[in-house]
Amino acid sequence: SQTCNAAITTVVTIAEILKNNGLAIEKKVLTSTVGMKDENKGRVVLKAKIEIVLGKSEKFDLLMNASNVATETDPKDKE
């Protein structure tokens, strides 16, 4: 279904953004299908499922601290 495909695309995109920005490392990717009851059709249909397990990168805390410091010292906040 469109909703399922959009959700998978969103999860993959978020994982890639976190990895590309040095915040996360990929630990595991699992794909499978799950049976879900379709209320409209009254039967079980198979849907795609993805599970992406990420871990904090070595630079995560450093990057997050730098981000927080930059936000706290932003002169626009003082106006």
Side-chain angles (χ1 to χ4, degrees), residues 39-53:
E39 298 299 325
N40 298 328
K41 298 176 184 172
R43 60 185 170 90
V44 174
V45 292
L46 292 177
K47 302 274 186 176
K49 176 183 173 183
I50 190 165
E51 182 179 353
I52 301 174
V53 180

Side-chain angles (χ1 to χ4, degrees), residues 1-10 34 36 46-50:
S1 83
Q2 292 294 85
T3 305
C4 187
N5 290 340
I8 288 175
T9 300
T10 301
V34 291
M36 296 180 70
L46 292 177
K47 302 274 186 176
K49 176 183 173 183
I50 190 165

Side-chain angles (χ1 to χ4, degrees), residues 14 23 39 44 76-77:
I14 291 168
L23 294 167
E39 298 299 325
V44 174
K76 289 182 279 187
D77 292 341

Side-chain angles (χ1 to χ4, degrees), residues 27-69:
K27 291 189 166 193
K28 182 169 48 172
V29 177
L30 303 168
T31 57
S32 60
T33 53
V34 291
M36 296 180 70
K37 181 147 172 114
D38 187 323
E39 298 299 325
N40 298 328
K41 298 176 184 172
R43 60 185 170 90
V44 174
V45 292
L46 292 177
K47 302 274 186 176
K49 176 183 173 183
I50 190 165
E51 182 179 353
I52 301 174
V53 180
L54 300 175
K56 285 171 47 170
S57 71
E58 290 180 12
K59 298 186 289 184
F60 180 88
D61 291 326
L62 182 67
L63 291 169
M64 291 308 293
N65 287 337
S67 175
N68 289 337
V69 168

